[in-house]
Amino acid sequence: MGKAARAAGETPLRRRAGLPEEIIFSNILVRLPPKSLLCCRAVCRAWRRATSKRRFLLAHHTHQPAHPVFLAGEEIFGVPCHNIRAFDHRANDVQTVAQLDEAFDLEASCDGLLVLSKFDYTARFRSFSVCNPATREHAPLRCPPWDFHIVGMYAHRPTGEYRLILQRTIDMKLSEGQIGCYVFLLGSDQPPRYIGWPETGSWTFDVPVRVDDSLHWYSQFYLGKSNPPQHQRDNTPVIVFDTIDESFRLMHDPVVSTQATIFDMDGTLGIYRRNYEIKQIDVDPFMKEKETIGIWVLRNYESEVWDKKYRIKLPLAEIRDDFGNHDDYCLEVVSGDGDVFMLLLLGRYLIRVDSNGKLLENSNIGRENPRMTKWLLKQSLVQHTFFPALEGYAVNGSPWLPKLTHL
């Protein structure tokens, strides 16, 4: 860049394209993936300053898509490692967002933050940590007594704190306290705070879906009173947790089935149910002959009105022709760009099927034993004040493998 351009405060892109800075930052840079944005910071000091401001980073985070997360294990030069991978449907690519030098499991995801767990088989103890793959930050968590398990993570908007929702059930060995749900401040030394159960009874929790300031679970089992309310007899309710006042309530669901799953449908709630017929033959008595996916979308949140929007027949015959007679596939419904598609994980292949039941592209993930998690990752470069305060906090240190360093 020449002296005259620097004096005028122009950037190379502005000089070449004649674009005002508002367009450059608000419409172009804010939409780039985190890794590309970090590379753009090297263009000039003005870009680095502008793209490092918290306001810009928050806007950048809102423009990032939420990608389905996969875990995969492999060995690199004899060192066991665990990969965190995300499927980008626009690029039709499974991208590695983190490579760890130890085997971890994924416990929660929120605003680009991941809570990981690691089990020490020698000491028979599970340790936890929090990380941000985009900024390569990592820190161990000081944990409460872990006769709990994590069922959700959220940002408490009034305080800006990140908190975990913990569940303690009757099947666990109780050291102290009540059976039910607790809130735990991420990285706190204080014990978790009891917040009760959703109404009366015991519930199982799957991966939650966040809409506005609430988390939603589709409860697969109700173990409460012998004579529950009518809406609990007729269907399996959606459990709603208000992250502002930290209270539970129930929402009606559209289907009567224990084979249904809740998912994020472009910022609202969707529920899908799998229906299949078993083909009774001697070769494989459990082979699915047909499978259809029914999808309901929440049309009105306040009145809890659902619409059945899709009924999709999977192209099983075509899938068997291309990938063999295997029915042990995992399936998830994902929304993107106003539509839905299905991801089928079959061995090392990730197969995409559109809302019309048409077989689209497939990706060969490789020899990594991939596993679907049902979590979504919406990457973020926002700096969080709690991170440096945690003991053991590091950037680009262990457990990250060095090959993905990009800061």
Side-chain angles (χ1 to χ4, degrees):
M1 185 184 298
K3 294 182 179 180
R6 286 197 296 268
E10 294 182 346
T11 63
L13 181 59
R14 183 180 178 180
R15 283 190 294 120
R16 293 175 185 176
L19 297 174
E21 289 187 356
E22 182 179 353
I23 299 296
I24 295 173
F25 292 110
S26 301
N27 295 84
I28 300 177
L29 298 185
V30 77
R31 301 177 187 275
L32 293 179
K35 190 172 182 179
S36 300
L37 180 64
L38 292 174
C39 294
C40 287
R41 288 181 175 179
V43 171
C44 63
R45 292 179 181 177
W47 280 26
R48 184 176 184 86
R49 285 194 302 269
T51 59
S52 299
K53 293 180 179 179
R54 183 175 180 84
R55 182 178 178 181
F56 176 86
L57 294 177
L58 289 171
H60 177 260
H61 172 60
T62 63
H63 283 88
Q64 297 307 298
H67 294 317
V69 177
F70 297 79
L71 300 184
E74 65 175 353
E75 288 195 356
I76 297 180
F77 304 114
V79 178
C81 115
H82 208 135
N83 292 344
I84 300 175
R85 313 193 73 183
F87 177 73
D88 183 348
H89 72 278
R90 294 176 180 175
N92 188 42
D93 186 29
V94 181
Q95 303 171 346
T96 300
V97 296
Q99 290 185 307
L100 311 175
D101 61 9
E102 295 179 290
F104 284 82
D105 202 2
L106 178 57
E107 301 286 344
S109 174
C110 177
D111 293 346
L113 299 172
L114 302 177
V115 173
L116 308 176
S117 67
K118 180 180 68 172
F119 188 77
D120 187 327
Y121 289 94
T122 303
R124 302 196 63 80
F125 175 77
R126 186 174 293 274
S127 60
F128 292 79
S129 60
V130 60
C131 71
N132 184 340
T135 60
R136 305 267 297 180
E137 295 172 287
H138 178 272
L141 290 177
R142 293 183 178 179
C143 301
W146 286 105
D147 47 357
F148 296 96
H149 84 266
I150 300 171
V151 298
M153 178 181 176
Y154 62 97
H156 186 244
R157 190 157 52 85
T159 62
E161 298 171 344
Y162 282 87
R163 301 177 180 181
L164 300 175
I165 304 177
L166 311 176
Q167 183 189 26
R168 170 182 263 169
T169 70
I170 194 170
D171 296 323
M172 297 180 179
K173 297 179 180 179
L174 303 181
S175 56
E176 59 182 10
Q178 300 173 266
I179 295 171
C181 292
Y182 290 72
V183 166
F184 179 65
L185 176 61
L186 200 66
S188 172
D189 293 328
Q190 301 299 314
R193 172 168 49 87
Y194 180 71
I195 57 173
W197 277 108
E199 288 196 3
T200 303
S202 298
W203 305 86
T204 61
F205 293 87
D206 203 346
V207 172
V209 173
R210 184 174 67 179
V211 174
D212 296 329
D213 287 315
S214 293
L215 297 181
H216 304 78
W217 298 265
Y218 188 76
S219 175
Q220 297 298 306
F221 301 100
Y222 176 80
L223 303 174
K225 300 178 293 183
S226 59
N227 185 26
Q230 181 65 34
H231 74 279
Q232 293 171 2
R233 289 198 303 268
D234 289 347
N235 55 15
T236 306
V238 175
I239 301 171
V240 184
F241 178 75
D242 189 314
T243 62
I244 302 297
D245 60 21
E246 297 180 321
S247 63
F248 289 103
R249 65 181 179 86
L250 301 182
M251 173 187 286
H252 291 278
D253 81 335
V255 293
V256 184
S257 173
T258 59
Q259 300 296 321
T261 302
I262 197 167
F263 71 103
D264 183 312
M265 179 58 185
D266 283 332
T268 187
L269 297 178
I271 287 180
Y272 69 88
R273 181 176 61 184
R274 300 177 65 173
N275 303 284
Y276 52 84
E277 298 178 11
I278 302 298
K279 186 177 183 180
Q280 300 294 334
I281 58 176
D282 294 334
V283 177
D284 185 352
F286 300 106
M287 182 177 289
K288 299 183 182 73
E289 184 177 21
K290 298 178 181 178
E291 178 164 2
T292 58
I293 311 298
I295 300 177
W296 289 258
V297 177
L298 186 61
R299 174 160 55 93
N300 188 297
Y301 191 93
E302 298 301 325
S303 60
E304 303 179 10
V305 175
W306 298 78
D307 289 333
K308 188 171 184 178
K309 193 168 183 179
Y310 301 93
R311 185 179 182 273
I312 307 167
K313 181 180 178 181
L314 290 184
L316 293 184
E318 188 176 353
I319 291 173
R320 291 191 182 106
D321 289 342
D322 292 343
F323 304 100
N325 292 325
H326 301 288
D327 277 318
D328 56 344
Y329 53 82
C330 298
L331 182 145
E332 291 294 335
V333 175
V334 181
S335 70
D337 300 328
D339 200 357
V340 299
F341 58 90
M342 284 152 291
L343 290 178
L344 281 72
L345 183 60
L346 180 61
R348 63 183 182 179
Y349 291 98
L350 185 65
I351 305 163
R352 187 155 67 109
V353 178
D354 70 11
S355 59
N356 295 314
K358 180 181 177 181
L359 187 64
L360 301 177
E361 307 90 347
N362 68 82
S363 302
N364 188 334
I365 300 180
R367 299 173 297 173
E368 296 182 322
N369 301 315
R371 175 166 63 89
M372 287 184 175
T373 68
K374 295 187 179 181
W375 292 103
L376 300 176
L377 176 62
K378 188 179 175 74
Q379 293 200 74
S380 174
L381 291 169
V382 176
Q383 299 292 318
H384 298 288
T385 56
F386 74 84
F387 247 130
L390 297 177
E391 185 177 352
Y393 166 77
V395 179
N396 284 327
S398 180
W400 306 111
L401 288 181
K403 65 180 292 184
L404 285 185
T405 302
H406 55 255
L407 289 181

